[in-house]
Amino acid sequence: MYFDPMYFVFALPPMIFGLWAQWKVKSAFGKYANVANSTGYTGSQIARRLLDSQGLYSVAIEATPGDLTDHYDPRGKVVRLSESTMYRNSVAAIGVVAHEVGHAIQDAESYVPMRTRAAILPVANIGSILGPYIFMLGLFINMFGLALLGLLLFGAAALFQAVTLPVEYNASNRAMRLLVDNGLVTSYDAGMARQVLDAAALTYVAALLQSVSQVLYYAMLLSGNRRRDD
C-alpha cells in the first residue's frame, strides 16, 4: 500500500461539503433555538399533539442524552428527543420533533423506502466496517474476486445512504404539513422551522456523497489493478 494523491481528488470535495453541512445545521439550530414558537408548546408537547392527531397514541416520547440526538426508534415505537428539543418551546425544537414524528408516521404506514432502508441496514453495517478491509486485502494479494466482494459490500453502505435521502426528505415534508394542518405554526414559524430541516437534510446528502466517492475510488483502483494484470 502507498500514498495515493488521487484519493484526495475523490475524498476531499465531499469531506469539505460534509463539514459545511455540519456547520450549517448547527448554525441554523443554534439561531432558532433561541426563538420561541408562537404556541408556547415545548417539543414534547408538540410531539404528543402530532402523534395523537395521527392516531399514534401508543408511540411513546422519551428523553435521550446529548444535543441533536433526536431520533425515532421503530423497534420500540418511541420518539426520543434530546433535552435541547424536548423541554424547549423554540422554533428549532418544533421542526426537529415534527421531523421525528414524520418517521413514526412512515413506520405506521409501512412507507416503502423506510422498509427498504431497514432491510438493507444489516448488510450496510457489515459493508461499512468490513468492506474496505476485504477490498484492500483482495488488492494486496491480487485476488480480483475478493476485492470485488469488498467493493460490493461497501457499495451496500452507499445504497443505504441513497435510500436514506427520500426517507429523510419525506419525513421533513410530512413534518411541515403536520405542523400547518394542526395549527401549530404561523407562516413566520414555518419559515424558520423549514430552514432548520433543510439544513439537517444536507448532512444526509453529504453522507451519500462521501460513500459514493469512496465507492468510485475503490472501483478506479480495482479497474487499474485489473488492467495491469491483463
Side-chain angles (χ1 to χ4, degrees):
M1 292 296 134
Y2 60 93
F3 172 75
D4 183 8
M6 280 300 295
Y7 174 77
F8 291 99
V9 174
F10 286 88
L12 198 57
M15 185 184 302
I16 293 172
F17 182 84
L19 292 172
W20 175 77
Q22 289 288 342
W23 172 83
K24 190 78 173 175
V25 69
K26 289 181 179 178
S27 176
F29 188 86
K31 180 179 180 180
Y32 296 120
N34 297 314
V35 179
N37 65 66
S38 58
T39 65
Y41 295 137
T42 64
S44 62
Q45 291 172 323
I46 293 284
R48 186 73 271 159
R49 284 172 176 268
L50 293 179
L51 289 168
D52 291 351
S53 74
Q54 302 301 303
L56 300 179
Y57 306 106
S58 61
V59 175
I61 301 168
E62 296 178 358
T64 190
D67 289 321
L68 296 177
T69 51
D70 310 79
H71 64 278
Y72 170 68
D73 177 3
R75 291 169 299 180
K77 310 301 181 188
V78 178
V79 173
R80 294 197 170 94
L81 304 176
S82 61
E83 292 183 0
S84 58
T85 57
M86 185 164 187
Y87 304 113
R88 300 190 64 177
N89 65 345
S90 69
V91 171
I94 63 173
V96 171
V97 301
H99 176 89
E100 301 309 330
V101 170
H103 284 312
I105 298 170
Q106 289 174 336
D107 185 29
E109 295 179 354
S110 296
Y111 181 59
V112 173
M114 189 181 203
R115 296 299 182 202
T116 303
R117 183 176 70 168
I120 297 171
L121 180 59
V123 179
N125 283 338
I126 294 172
S128 63
I129 296 171
L130 296 181
Y133 294 104
I134 294 173
F135 176 80
M136 291 302 177
L137 177 62
L139 281 188
F140 184 73
I141 64 178
N142 200 30
M143 186 178 291
F144 177 82
L146 186 62
L148 180 60
L149 174 62
L151 176 61
L152 292 175
L153 282 172
F154 194 80
L159 179 60
F160 176 82
Q161 297 295 345
V163 177
T164 292
L165 274 184
V167 174
E168 297 300 330
Y169 274 103
N170 178 266
S172 290
N173 290 333
R174 287 174 186 263
M176 295 311 303
R177 287 198 302 269
L178 282 171
L179 290 170
V180 172
D181 291 347
N182 287 275
L184 296 174
V185 290
T186 63
S187 58
Y188 181 66
D189 289 344
M192 291 184 285
R194 181 83 251 183
Q195 288 183 49
V196 173
L197 294 178
D198 287 347
L202 291 175
T203 62
Y204 297 102
V205 175
L208 174 60
L209 291 177
Q210 289 167 359
S211 294
V212 169
S213 68
Q214 192 77 15
V215 169
L216 292 176
Y217 175 69
Y218 287 163
M220 182 201 71
L221 290 180
L222 187 59
S223 176
N225 193 65
R226 188 71 180 272
R227 285 197 298 271
R228 284 194 297 272
D229 292 340
D230 294 341

